[in-house]
Amino acid sequence: MAHETPLLTADPRALEALTDVRVLYTDLDGTLVAQGGSVLADAAARPSLVVAERIVEISRAGLSVVPVSGRGRLQLRELTQLLGWDGYIAEAGGIIVHGTGLDYEDRVDTGTWPANVPGTGVTPFEAINGVRAAETLFEAFPGRIEHYAPWQLDREVSLLLRGCLDAAAGQAVLDTLPLPLDLIDNGLLRSYGTLTCRDMPPHAYHVVPKGVSKTRAIELDLAWRGLSRGQAAAIGDSATDLEMADAVGVMVLVANAFGSNGVVSGLAENPRDNVWRTERERTEGWAEFADAWLEAGRRSGDDRAGE
Ligand SMILES: [Mg+2]
């Protein structure tokens, strides 16, 4: 299946589409950062400038990068500021922020919830806890789902869990609760924590207000920025990331995505003509994309100069 997805750098149609792209929405874990969480590392997590050099070049070219992650607001603010970017999407699409200083602007998305939910003085996170969403999953799937400590703290819109669940079965359990919620699979984790399941690798999961997603957050962010879908690209390594394809012109999967649950089946179930893959994994795949994007920009600049 990996090889049915065209290689970004070998497809002139992809390179043409990249000439219009002004903003990249990037997943973090397994995509921008190596195993262990460093941005200063190659695909095997050895010290490397492979990503850092491209981050600097992209900023020099006046292009924007927006991290899109399941992480919370404070974690993403730190990372965004450290890498010299100006906006981020946190909590799997629930929080969209422009600016990292005191004058930041933000939007909290509650998806398809009615305007009066969760109610004054209650965060979406508190509302989700109010219907015992986490506890209900723990009771339905003993040993297979738990809080992803300590990152489940300081949340505003979503629960963060670790587990080995059939996503459809988990969703069916959430559908019994009196608040419309979605279960999002946010890709592979390294550690089982205290889970007892061993029949599949551990994944990160989010419980969000129904409709909240990375895809929807990108659509909201593009509208806020005054950019069109064709002016955006996205890159990631999970089934959830693949869905970002519906909000951008160019969607790229790093090579390791093809080992993540739901990516291959997602490609088969919903064939899209704007999804490409990189040859290399993780940070090196990210750099491969960045080089193609920068080259597309240089070429279109040359074309304009020659007109
Ligand atoms: Mg990821």
Side-chain angles (χ1 to χ4, degrees):
M1 177 53 79
H3 297 285
E4 292 170 26
T5 301
L7 186 61
L8 177 81
T9 50
D11 187 347
R13 199 169 59 86
L15 302 179
E16 174 67 28
L18 280 177
T19 61
D20 292 331
V21 171
R22 308 302 305 162
V23 57
L24 171 67
Y25 294 93
T26 184
D27 173 56
L28 297 181
D29 298 289
T31 305
L32 180 80
V33 304
Q35 278 194 338
S38 176
V39 79
L40 299 175
D42 68 12
R46 294 172 301 219
S48 169
L49 287 172
V50 66
V51 164
E53 284 173 346
R54 273 70 178 196
I55 287 174
V56 172
E57 284 180 53
I58 288 167
S59 293
R60 279 192 184 134
L63 302 168
S64 296
V65 182
V66 177
V68 183
S69 170
R71 297 185 190 189
R73 182 197 291 263
L74 290 176
Q75 287 176 284
L76 273 184
R77 178 179 176 273
E78 291 291 317
L79 174 134
T80 301
Q81 194 169 41
L82 200 61
L83 298 182
W85 297 332
D86 72 345
Y88 52 93
I89 295 172
E91 293 205 37
I95 303 173
I96 305 164
V97 183
H98 288 183
T100 57
L102 293 174
D103 56 347
Y104 74 89
E105 289 183 87
D106 70 342
R107 294 175 185 196
V108 171
D109 185 30
T110 52
T112 61
W113 283 5
N116 60 342
V117 177
T120 310
V122 181
T123 67
F125 173 77
E126 288 165 343
I128 294 170
N129 280 328
V131 299
R132 300 184 71 253
E135 292 79 1
T136 304
L137 287 170
F138 300 162
E139 287 157 17
F141 305 101
R144 303 192 68 89
I145 185 96
E146 65 179 8
H147 286 299
Y148 184 13
W151 315 113
Q152 88 277 18
L153 303 172
D154 287 323
R155 310 289 292 183
E156 298 167 50
V157 184
S158 67
L159 306 187
L160 177 53
L161 303 165
R162 162 168 48 200
C164 18
L165 283 194
D166 175 78
Q171 183 63 52
V173 168
L174 290 183
D175 289 343
T176 65
L177 298 173
L179 196 60
L181 300 170
D182 278 338
L183 183 71
I184 295 177
D185 179 339
N186 201 23
L188 293 170
L189 295 175
R190 279 192 303 168
S191 165
Y192 282 96
T194 66
L195 301 172
T196 54
C197 47
R198 290 297 182 271
D199 51 342
M200 67 174 273
H203 280 229
Y205 298 95
H206 301 279
V207 175
V208 297
K210 189 165 276 300
V212 167
S213 69
K214 289 182 174 182
T215 308
R216 184 175 147 108
I218 291 171
E219 289 168 351
L220 293 169
D221 188 64
L222 284 173
W224 193 4
R225 288 171 185 268
L227 294 177
S228 68
R229 177 177 172 176
Q231 291 174 297
I235 187 166
D237 74 329
S238 72
T240 311
D241 296 332
L242 173 59
E243 290 169 20
M244 296 193 287
D246 296 335
V248 298
V250 176
M251 176 70 219
V252 180
L253 293 169
V254 286
N256 47 298
F258 295 88
S260 181
N261 274 33
V263 170
V264 170
S265 59
L267 287 164
E269 283 159 21
N270 187 359
R272 298 167 168 105
D273 65 0
N274 66 332
V275 181
W276 288 271
R277 67 183 167 92
T278 65
E279 195 154 29
R280 286 168 286 166
E281 297 193 340
R282 302 172 190 279
T283 53
E284 293 177 29
W286 199 91
E288 188 179 324
F289 166 82
D291 286 344
W293 186 23
L294 289 161
E295 175 62 21
R298 277 191 292 268
R299 259 193 267 164
S300 68
D302 290 347
D303 287 351
R304 276 199 292 274
E307 276 167 11

